[in-house]
């Protein structure tokens, strides 16, 4: 029996979700650096969520337009890259709120089968390891397709990423470049379809 493989050709549109709402966030700077280091086959746009209200199940029958727009942005992405800090050994509340809006109402989960990557920066040496595990647990429950390796917990020291979003440390730059190459490979693999009879 012959199997036909259908590949979604690049470029791939990658929605970036930054876990911090701060304009001065080191994770925003990290996201900008990742875009500079990424292969040309990836095209990026930011998925914003700052205007989402707190999720309330009572709104499931009358979804606010801002939540509809957020879900449409997620749906329009071929893949999603989360770049997030760690807050109190978890993820920032607004990020969790956005994920919840994207998963509702029941049966209309925007994260289903979406290729996703997770990375984060912190001034601390363990980076965002615990926060990322919290995020991964949520994405797993929502049936997102997660790139699980390589993991990337970035200690962002002063000057590591300059004002032009260039990484000043050669080893870190090469690691992040490799991370983005792997994300491209993973996205292509997830978006390759083997039709079922």
């Amino acid at each position: 029996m012959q199997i036909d493989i259908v590949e979604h050709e690049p470029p791939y549109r990658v929605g970036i979700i930054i876990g911090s709402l701060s304009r001065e966030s080191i994770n925003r700077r990290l996201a900008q650096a990742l875009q500079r280091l990424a292969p040309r086959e990836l095209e990026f746009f930011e998925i914003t969520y700052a205007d989402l209200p707190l999720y309330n199940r009572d709104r499931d029958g009358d979804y606010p337009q801002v939540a509809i727009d957020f879900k449409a942005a997620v749906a329009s992405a071929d893949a999603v890259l989360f770049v997030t800090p760690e807050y109190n050994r978890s993820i920032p509340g607004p990020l969790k709120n956005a994920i919840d809006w994207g998963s509702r109402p029941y049966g209309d989960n925007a994260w289903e089968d979406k290729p996703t990557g997770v990375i984060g920066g912190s001034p601390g040496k363990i980076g965002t390891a615990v926060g990322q595990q919290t995020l991964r647990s949520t994405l797993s429950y929502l049936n997102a397709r997660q790139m699980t390796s390589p993991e990337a917990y970035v200690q962002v020291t002063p000057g590591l990423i300059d004002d032009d979003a260039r990484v000043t440390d050669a080893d870190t730059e090469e690691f992040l470049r490799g991370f983005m190459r792997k994300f491209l490979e993973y996205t292509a693999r997830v978006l390759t379809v083997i039709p079922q009879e």
Side-chain angles (χ1 to χ4, degrees), residues 2 11 25 40 42 45 49 62-63 65 73 76 79 83 85 87 99 111 130 147 164 177 179-180 182 184 193:
Q2 181 178 351
S25 167
R40 290 175 303 179
L42 299 177
F45 69 102
Y49 58 93
D62 182 26
Y63 240 51
Q65 188 62 48
S76 75
V83 186
Y87 286 5
I99 293 169
W111 312 109
V130 181
M147 182 177 81
D164 294 319
R177 194 182 301 278
F179 179 88
M180 295 308 293
K182 288 291 187 182
L184 167 62
V193 176

Side-chain angles (χ1 to χ4, degrees), residues 126-145:
I126 64 168
T128 55
V130 181
Q132 285 191 39
Q133 290 307 311
T134 302
L135 176 55
R136 289 182 182 282
S137 177
T138 300
L139 293 174
S140 177
Y141 176 76
L142 295 173
N143 207 28
R145 301 294 174 221

Side-chain angles (χ1 to χ4, degrees), residues 65-80:
Q65 188 62 48
V66 65
I68 292 171
D69 293 344
F70 173 76
K71 290 186 72 169
V74 173
S76 75
D78 293 315
V80 174

